[in-house]
Amino acid sequence: MNYKLPGLVAAAALFLFSGSALAQETPKYSYVEAFKPFFYPQTGTETRSASGQAGHAYWQNSADYDLNVSLNEAKNEITGTADITYTNNSPDQLGFLWLQLDQNLFAKDSRGNAVVPPSGSRNGAHGEELEGGYKIKSVKLDGKDVKYTITDTRMQIDLPKELKSKGGVAKIKIEYSFISPEYGSDRMGVQKTKNGKVFTVAQWYPRMCVYDDVMGWNTLPYVGASEFYLEYGHISANITVPANHYVVASGELLNSKEVYSKEENNRWEQARNSDKTVMIRPESEIGKNQASGTKTWKFKIDQTRDFAWASSPAFILDAAKINLPSGKKSVAISAYPAESAGEKAWGRSTEYTKAAIEHYSQKWYEYTYPAATNVAGNEGGMEYPGIVFCHMDSAGEDLWGVTDHEFGHNWFPMIVGSNERLFAWMDEGFNTFINELSTKAFNNGEYYSKKNIARAGGFMMGDNLEPIMVGPDNMKERNIGSLAYYKPGMGLQILRETILGPEKFDKAFKTYIDRWAFKHPTPWDFFHTMENVAGEELNWFWRGWFINKWKIDQSVKDVKYVNGDFKNGAQIIVENLGQLPMPTTVQVKFKDGTKQIMKIPVEVWKRNTEWLLKLNSTKEIDEVMLDPDSMIPDVNAKNNTWTSAQAKPVEKINAKDFTGTYAAKGVPIKLVFTDKNGQLYAKAGSQPEFPLEYTGNNQFTFEEADMTMVFSKDKKEIAFKQGEREFKFTKE
């Protein structure tokens, strides 16, 4: 779904322009907490391997649908029958079945209506007064009436005898009708145009709830914000509409010769073999079809979790072929009213659809449906298998963005069938991430602009946001855009570009898609897969970015020349202040204009809160900057840069003047000082030698061990301090 609200506009502004102005107090970093073991709540099971793949005994149930439906244009009414073949592949016998009745969201007394605040919401019917919700005429099991109970958006069917495990089949038939809202929670609706109504129809038939190995029956009610969790199966649909309507739908049209004219069918053949958009029904032909009565359009789609359709007398139709890596062909289709026409608007819709599908098929996993149809309606953007609804007023970059986003959903969650009701980030966030790559690839980056991730830190890790892992019904509606879309999408970008690198990330991400195509993964299956395939420990990242709302804050604590002279090199101290550690990139810019990059791997932060880098250079430093390419969101940009103006003057010394061996009465060890390329090192007895930092006035420190050594002016004595203890050493 495409998430657009006034609040999101503000969020986007903060995303682009926020920085130190939004800096917040950051909790202290604990490397033990960040990297502590036992992140995963359970080890591998027979159904889900600890490696992240489906286990040897993985199962999921299936639901096939034969749907017959008719549209009453005047009443906005859908009347139909749903014949459902439900197969229980689980090891459990089932005494009852649960179904989703999502249209009941629009009933006046629904829970979804009850949670709409007085200020309004994108969810629900936008205050429209209608007799919404399903009217159930009958429910039959194996041809006989069966007891059922409806609770809000769920129906429970009590079985006269338990449905057998490992292959038991139940045949359900439901007769129903409902009135479509004009604005259906931004997922479906009825849009008036100058040439007739555009019906975009979704959540239009009773659908089986998922029974899985994680929760058993998944029966969370549909209250508008959270989306769907559905079983896979085969769907056929016979859709009867007024004879002057044109219908587009999920899947393959089976009776094109019956519903299209001979000329229109010829154009379809041209389109299926053309990389350029072919007009099937141009604007000039709208209104010429004045047939009365009704016409039935027949579709089917295989291995799908849902089905949606659109119908209108106002549609302009155009199409082009989609080239898939295997050599198979699909077809990109656009259906839109005359108000949306034009090369600066929906005239490029099929071009956008084709480009998006071809990119994702090449990059991640081949598109599996015979068509990809973009429909102009009154939705901001909503996705279904093989068909999406985008707003009829979208144009240019906005139309590319929503088209690309909605078709990206054909990978998440249409192919990889995650539980959207609980984990919106596993479809919206993943999709937002792949959208960034596809936009960069489209038409040589026509609409691409690189985002400054670093500036987003103050907002994305703000205290007013909930953690990503909470469900969309469990977060403020204004935060859904950030937490379901942008923050998880950004997290994957950080994981790809900064933590793993594109090659390792892409291999792991493709493996995740391959493993869980047409299955039901959990977040833990994703986490396990990424770690196992990439070969990296990532629990610190999952824990901080997804489970908690930890902040990232790294800083340049100090920069000092060795012995006060830049010709001896420099010591740079970097701190990890925020709760979430990150690999660190340090850029040193010298006064001659040259630069040097230094890298700190995340493993440094497994047992340190700060780290000293030795810069071997004879050049004077102008600036030290963390994350020079703005790849990491940081809540406080002010402390990421050190400039030469901040340098504290320290007199130059010759390290050789401080070399020698020193002893103290009653202390069984000696201190030995040596010079290595202008750097003074100390060695205490048989312990390894360690570098000393000159801080002025003949004083040196070794902060890791809390040591300070102050030489007398004649260098014959040392006051050695460690913590509260002090010793006097004399040169031998």
Side-chain angles (χ1 to χ4, degrees):
M1 191 172 191
N2 193 44
Y3 203 89
K4 282 192 173 181
L5 284 174
L8 186 58
V9 175
L14 287 170
F15 178 84
L16 292 172
F17 303 112
S18 66
S20 58
L22 288 173
Q24 303 156 59
E25 184 177 345
T26 306
K28 188 176 181 181
Y29 175 58
S30 166
Y31 51 78
V32 173
E33 185 68 19
F35 290 94
K36 68 183 179 183
F38 309 116
F39 169 74
Y40 289 99
Q42 64 180 38
T43 56
T45 67
E46 289 186 339
T47 54
R48 296 176 191 269
S49 167
S51 69
Q53 59 192 314
H56 66 88
Y58 178 83
W59 56 267
Q60 66 187 47
N61 294 347
S62 65
D64 301 328
Y65 300 84
D66 290 316
L67 306 171
N68 289 275
V69 67
S70 62
L71 168 65
N72 185 319
E73 182 178 21
K75 295 182 178 180
N76 295 348
E77 185 176 35
I78 308 292
T79 302
T81 60
D83 287 277
I84 307 170
T85 302
Y86 180 71
T87 304
N88 176 25
N89 296 312
S90 81
D92 307 323
Q93 296 189 88
L94 302 177
F96 51 83
L97 306 176
W98 280 103
L99 289 82
Q100 303 183 51
L101 302 180
D102 296 314
Q103 279 299 318
N104 286 355
L105 173 70
F106 305 110
K108 291 181 180 179
D109 59 351
S110 74
R111 297 184 191 182
N113 271 334
V115 300
V116 172
S119 58
S121 167
R122 77 180 305 189
N123 302 308
H126 271 199
E128 177 189 356
E129 291 289 331
L130 77 158
E131 291 297 323
Y134 281 113
K135 293 179 174 61
I136 303 296
K137 182 177 179 181
S138 67
V139 179
K140 296 182 184 297
L141 177 72
D142 298 327
K144 298 179 181 179
D145 290 337
V146 67
K147 181 184 177 183
Y148 65 92
T149 304
I150 294 175
T151 307
D152 198 52
T153 58
R154 289 79 46 85
M155 172 193 285
Q156 186 181 48
I157 298 177
D158 291 321
L159 302 179
K161 62 178 180 179
E162 288 190 324
L163 183 61
K164 291 181 180 179
S165 62
K166 299 182 179 179
V169 175
K171 291 186 178 293
I172 307 159
K173 184 169 186 174
I174 302 175
E175 295 180 277
Y176 65 92
S177 66
F178 66 88
I179 303 295
S180 174
E182 292 185 0
Y183 175 90
S185 208
D186 208 17
R187 304 187 192 280
M188 61 173 296
V190 184
Q191 175 65 47
K192 295 176 182 177
T193 75
K194 64 183 180 182
N195 294 310
K197 297 177 180 178
V198 173
F199 292 85
T200 44
V201 188
Q203 290 85 59
W204 59 281
Y205 59 97
R207 303 180 294 180
M208 297 300 303
C209 292
V210 172
Y211 185 81
D212 64 20
D213 61 309
V214 180
M215 291 291 294
W217 285 110
N218 287 261
T219 58
L220 282 176
Y222 175 46
V223 294
S226 60
E227 293 183 318
F228 310 106
Y229 187 32
L230 302 164
E231 297 286 17
Y232 287 96
H234 309 290
I235 298 178
S236 64
N238 297 326
I239 302 169
T240 300
V241 298
N244 67 334
H245 275 226
Y246 285 76
V247 176
V248 289
S250 297
E252 177 185 2
L253 177 64
L254 302 178
N255 62 334
S256 60
K257 291 183 179 179
E258 297 174 13
V259 294
Y260 284 111
S261 69
K262 182 178 180 180
E263 179 59 31
E264 288 168 339
N265 275 295
N266 289 336
R267 294 168 182 167
W268 275 115
E269 286 306 309
Q270 294 175 34
R272 290 188 181 95
N273 294 286
S274 173
D275 283 313
K276 298 294 185 181
T277 300
V278 174
M279 193 62 65
I280 308 298
R281 189 195 187 212
E283 183 178 354
S284 61
E285 295 180 8
I286 294 176
K288 290 185 177 181
N289 176 8
Q290 295 297 330
S292 59
T294 61
K295 188 183 289 185
T296 298
W297 299 65
K298 300 178 180 180
F299 295 87
K300 75 168 185 177
I301 185 170
D302 296 326
Q303 208 170 25
T304 184
R305 48 177 270 162
D306 204 0
F307 189 103
W309 54 281
S311 181
S312 179
F315 279 151
I316 296 171
L317 296 169
D318 63 47
K321 73 173 179 178
I322 295 172
N323 302 296
L324 299 175
S326 68
K328 294 180 180 179
K329 294 291 189 292
S330 183
V331 60
I333 304 168
S334 295
Y336 50 95
E339 291 91 329
S340 303
E343 281 304 301
K344 293 184 178 180
W346 277 75
R348 293 187 70 184
S349 166
T350 291
E351 174 196 352
Y352 296 159
T353 299
K354 171 182 167 67
I357 299 293
E358 289 180 351
H359 170 82
Y360 296 132
S361 295
Q362 187 69 44
K363 180 72 176 173
W364 303 117
Y365 190 96
E366 185 165 293
Y367 186 69
T368 57
Y369 302 121
T373 304
N374 197 9
V375 181
N378 62 10
E379 300 81 8
M382 188 59 203
E383 70 279 358
Y384 300 97
I387 188 170
V388 304
F389 306 152
C390 299
H391 203 280
M392 61 180 289
D393 294 339
S394 293
E397 182 177 357
D398 184 53
L399 181 58
W400 158 258
V402 68
T403 299
D404 181 48
H405 180 81
E406 302 313 333
F407 278 116
H409 276 302
N410 272 271
W411 281 261
F412 309 102
M414 307 308 166
I415 291 174
V416 181
S418 58
N419 185 344
E420 301 175 90
R421 194 62 56 86
L422 285 176
F423 307 113
W425 64 272
M426 292 187 73
D427 71 292
E428 299 294 0
F430 287 11
N431 192 24
T432 300
F433 162 71
I434 65 174
N435 297 160
E436 181 80 3
L437 298 178
S438 62
T439 299
K440 187 176 183 180
F442 174 66
N443 200 23
N444 298 314
E446 178 180 355
Y447 298 127
Y448 178 73
S449 59
K450 185 178 179 181
K451 294 181 177 62
N452 188 321
I453 293 178
R455 292 182 180 177
F459 178 72
M460 285 298 170
M461 290 174 283
D463 293 330
N464 62 322
L465 296 180
E466 301 87 358
I468 289 174
M469 195 66 100
V470 306
D473 293 332
N474 191 208
M475 59 181 67
K476 294 288 187 184
E477 188 174 339
R478 64 176 179 268
N479 293 342
I480 292 175
S482 299
L483 294 173
Y485 295 69
Y486 296 109
K487 188 173 181 180
M490 183 190 297
L492 293 192
Q493 187 174 348
I494 294 168
L495 189 60
R496 183 178 193 261
E497 304 299 335
T498 301
I499 298 172
L500 294 180
E503 184 177 353
K504 288 173 73 173
F505 177 93
D506 289 359
K507 180 179 180 181
F509 199 58
K510 281 170 64 74
T511 300
Y512 168 71
I513 298 171
D514 288 340
R515 285 178 171 181
W516 292 97
F518 308 106
K519 296 184 178 71
H520 296 315
T522 69
W524 312 109
D525 299 316
F526 171 67
F527 296 156
H528 275 303
T529 294
M530 296 301 291
E531 290 196 26
N532 274 258
V533 179
E536 298 289 348
E537 176 192 31
L538 297 171
N539 61 21
W540 55 274
F541 182 63
W542 313 134
R543 183 180 284 122
W545 192 263
F546 291 94
I547 307 296
N548 297 293
K549 49 180 186 178
W550 288 355
K551 295 178 173 65
I552 299 170
D553 184 12
Q554 296 186 336
S555 75
V556 183
K557 182 179 181 181
D558 200 8
V559 178
K560 293 181 180 178
Y561 295 124
V562 174
N563 300 333
D565 189 347
F566 65 81
K567 294 179 181 179
N568 295 327
Q571 294 177 334
I572 301 170
I573 300 176
V574 178
E575 283 186 296
N576 194 90
L577 301 171
Q579 298 156 291
L580 179 55
M582 278 287 159
T584 311
T585 300
V586 182
Q587 176 184 276
V588 181
K589 182 180 178 181
F590 299 99
K591 290 198 172 181
D592 65 3
T594 60
K595 298 177 182 178
Q596 183 173 331
I597 295 292
M598 307 172 77
K599 299 279 190 177
I600 302 175
V602 76
E603 283 76 11
V604 162
W605 306 120
K606 293 187 78 169
R607 56 187 177 194
N608 299 284
T609 58
E610 63 180 50
W611 189 248
L612 186 149
L613 288 170
K614 175 67 186 299
L615 175 68
N616 295 316
S617 171
T618 59
K619 300 178 181 180
E620 193 170 359
I621 298 172
D622 183 50
E623 179 186 80
V624 176
M625 175 186 289
L626 303 185
D627 187 30
D629 295 324
S630 299
M631 303 296 287
I632 301 293
D634 193 299
V635 298
N636 184 6
K638 287 183 177 179
N639 61 15
N640 287 12
T641 302
W642 176 94
T643 66
S644 56
Q646 298 171 243
K648 299 174 184 177
V650 178
E651 73 271 21
K652 296 179 182 179
I653 61 167
N654 187 340
K656 291 181 180 179
D657 294 341
F658 297 86
T659 58
T661 301
Y662 291 74
K665 290 182 179 180
V667 179
I669 61 172
K670 296 182 179 181
L671 298 178
V672 179
F673 298 89
T674 57
D675 167 41
K676 292 187 177 182
N677 299 318
Q679 170 82 58
L680 190 67
Y681 280 78
K683 181 178 173 63
S686 61
Q687 298 297 315
E689 64 180 5
F690 47 91
L692 297 176
E693 179 186 354
Y694 185 61
T695 59
N697 295 321
N698 290 334
Q699 178 175 287
F700 293 82
T701 62
F702 181 55
E703 289 193 7
E704 289 186 31
D706 193 23
M707 292 181 183
T708 301
M709 300 164 206
V710 182
F711 287 79
S712 61
K713 288 185 178 180
D714 59 9
K715 314 297 190 293
K716 291 183 179 180
E717 290 185 340
I718 296 174
F720 176 92
K721 299 178 182 179
Q722 186 173 31
E724 300 298 322
R725 299 179 298 172
E726 182 174 337
F727 304 93
K728 294 289 185 182
F729 282 78
T730 305
K731 190 172 186 179
E732 290 186 341

